[in-house]
Amino acid sequence: MRRFLKVFKNTTVRIFSFILFVIFIASIFVFKDFYKAQWHKVLSFYYVYLGDNYYKKHRPQDAINSYIKALDLYPKHYRAQYNLGNLYVVYEDYYSALDAYSKALQLKPDFTVARIDYAIVLSEATFNYDKAIEEYDLAIEKIPKWVYIPFIVDNKHSYKHNKGVAYYNQGLAWRGKSLLDGEDVFLSRKYLENAVNSYQKALKSLKIYDVYYNLGIAYHLLREPEYAGYYYCKAIEKEPMKYEAHYNLAILLKGMKMYADSIEEFKKAGLLLDSNGDSNKTRYIYDVLNEVNQKYSITEEYREMIKRLNESDDINKERITIVGGKVVIADEFDGAMVKNFKTCANKKYFEEGIKD
């Protein structure tokens, strides 16, 4: 009896295993498309992994080939489309990049970074400012909301950062649009005001040099010198060793006939460019500086300064020289430049001006 039960048990197991095997084989034929799709999906992720590694190793063409293989196997891989778009930008193939970003966004409409990059290429490479501005609005609208669950998730930083980046680049697009329509003074000013509005929103989360500097440019173009100077100064505080804000502030001060302050900022810009070995720009800056020096030398302020220097017993006259029509006290000037590079000329004037 026991032997019979043992044989029956073994036979039952074999029969059951055989039935499962038959069902499995049958399922392969019935669901072969499903299994094939899953296998292709797995291979696709592998090729994306390869593409990412090639990109890190600075082998962009191999990365492109890997992403294309991944998309051939699994066309819905939105990150492969996005990475492919980034690589097309590297090769300056902007229309292929736009196509890749667009496909990524069709697959994942709330892919914020892809939408911002898509808008940047629309604006900076193809000058399609209207479409770019719309895309920035969409990016801001679709940014995942701030979620905070203690010890689990806190996306506040990425939420604020992405929002700030979208607003900043939208400001650049508005400024580009204003320059494109420069012949229409009313529209040009309106677009610049929109740029200012976008930059101000960006500042709520991105208190960086680029935002302050471009706010200064926008106000400069709007002919609002106090605000322009204030934001140039804020940019200088953030990145004192970048020449652009010093140079633009010098131009602004020259237009306001504040020649002494303009000279100070021109010198800073010139020294920064000279240290970077940019001789052409340096030569241009010193040509403009010479022009400002000449204008300054005929002002009452200059004559008063010369009078004070001549009457002062505290100044060693051997340390005073005239360069380009301007009095230069070499040691003090050099020391002040090193010590005060982070400050900007007439900062208090601009701060008081925007309070009025």
Side-chain angles (χ1 to χ4, degrees):
M1 186 66 179
R2 289 180 180 176
R3 186 177 179 183
F4 173 77
L5 289 173
K6 185 177 181 181
V7 171
F8 178 77
K9 183 178 179 181
N10 291 337
T11 303
T12 303
V13 170
R14 290 192 183 99
I15 292 171
F16 184 71
S17 299
F18 177 75
I19 291 171
L20 287 177
F21 177 74
V22 170
I23 291 172
F24 174 72
I25 296 298
S27 71
I28 291 176
F29 288 98
V30 174
F31 301 106
K32 63 179 180 179
D33 290 339
F34 171 79
Y35 288 126
K36 184 179 179 181
Q38 295 308 306
W39 174 241
H40 283 180
K41 189 174 180 179
V42 170
L43 279 178
S44 173
F45 276 81
Y46 170 71
Y47 278 116
V48 170
Y49 167 77
L50 282 181
D52 292 345
N53 281 340
Y54 282 135
Y55 184 76
K56 290 175 184 176
K57 293 176 181 178
H58 307 289
R59 295 168 60 181
Q61 190 56 56
D62 289 330
I64 287 174
N65 294 337
S66 294
Y67 292 135
I68 289 174
K69 286 179 182 177
L71 289 166
D72 286 341
L73 291 165
Y74 183 55
K76 293 183 179 180
H77 202 306
Y78 63 87
R79 190 163 289 280
Q81 287 284 10
Y82 171 66
N83 291 346
L84 196 56
N86 290 341
L87 285 164
Y88 284 137
V89 170
V90 171
Y91 280 103
E92 298 184 3
D93 185 357
Y94 298 118
Y95 288 99
S96 294
L98 290 173
D99 181 61
Y101 288 143
S102 178
K103 288 176 180 176
L105 290 167
Q106 289 171 18
L107 295 168
K108 188 174 175 59
D110 63 346
F111 196 175
T112 304
V113 177
R115 194 171 295 280
I116 291 173
D117 288 344
Y118 178 52
I120 288 172
V121 175
L122 281 169
S123 176
E124 302 298 322
T126 68
F127 309 109
N128 190 346
Y129 297 117
D130 291 327
K131 177 66 174 172
I133 290 165
E134 289 177 9
E135 291 299 323
Y136 288 127
D137 282 332
L138 271 174
I140 293 161
E141 178 188 326
K142 292 182 177 295
I143 291 173
K145 301 303 180 186
W146 176 26
V147 178
Y148 175 68
I149 302 173
F151 309 110
I152 299 175
V153 62
D154 182 3
N155 69 341
K156 181 179 180 180
H157 175 73
S158 61
Y159 168 74
K160 292 178 69 177
H161 177 79
N162 289 337
K163 201 169 184 179
V165 169
Y167 275 126
Y168 166 68
N169 284 286
Q170 188 180 57
L172 294 179
W174 278 119
R175 193 185 78 192
K177 189 172 170 62
S178 76
L179 295 173
L180 199 65
D181 295 331
E183 292 182 3
D184 189 323
V185 177
F186 175 78
L187 278 179
S188 180
R189 185 173 183 84
K190 177 185 175 184
Y191 297 149
L192 278 173
E193 288 171 349
N194 289 343
V196 166
N197 185 47
S198 294
Y199 292 142
Q200 292 286 10
K201 289 178 179 177
L203 270 183
K204 293 179 181 178
S205 54
L206 283 181
K207 299 185 185 301
I208 60 174
Y209 172 88
D210 289 328
V211 182
Y212 286 122
Y213 173 66
N214 281 285
L215 251 175
I217 291 175
Y219 277 120
H220 200 157
L221 293 170
L222 285 167
R223 293 181 174 81
E224 297 186 31
E226 287 81 9
Y227 282 93
Y230 174 79
Y231 286 110
Y232 285 145
C233 286
K234 296 292 287 185
I236 288 168
E237 288 175 6
K238 289 291 180 181
E239 298 282 352
M241 307 311 288
K242 288 189 175 182
Y243 86 91
E244 296 94 342
H246 290 290
Y247 173 75
N248 280 20
L249 180 58
I251 293 292
L252 179 73
L253 290 163
K254 176 176 174 283
M256 298 170 72
K257 297 184 179 180
M258 296 180 175
Y259 297 123
D261 294 323
S262 178
I263 288 168
E264 182 181 339
E265 292 301 325
F266 271 127
K267 282 187 174 291
K268 291 177 183 178
L271 284 171
L272 289 170
L273 276 172
D274 195 36
S275 66
N276 293 332
D278 197 332
S279 58
N280 290 330
K281 289 181 180 177
T282 304
R283 192 179 304 112
Y284 172 76
I285 283 180
Y286 283 123
D287 286 343
V288 180
L289 176 59
N290 187 54
E291 176 193 337
V292 179
N293 278 330
Q294 290 174 6
K295 290 183 178 180
Y296 181 51
S297 66
I298 61 174
T299 63
E300 185 63 30
E301 179 186 356
Y302 178 85
R303 286 192 288 270
E304 287 294 322
M305 183 186 69
I306 294 295
K307 184 178 178 182
R308 287 197 303 272
L309 289 173
N310 288 332
E311 292 174 353
S312 175
D313 295 329
D314 298 328
I315 295 179
N316 181 350
K317 293 183 180 179
E318 291 181 356
R319 299 163 70 189
I320 300 173
T321 57
I322 303 290
V323 178
K326 181 183 183 299
V327 172
V328 176
I329 306 173
D331 293 342
E332 283 83 349
F333 182 78
D334 290 341
M337 285 293 288
V338 173
K339 185 178 180 180
N340 299 315
F341 229 91
K342 199 171 182 178
T343 64
C344 68
N346 232 327
K347 180 183 176 183
K348 289 184 178 180
Y349 171 85
F350 296 123
E351 289 176 340
E352 290 171 1
I354 67 171
K355 291 176 183 177
D356 294 340

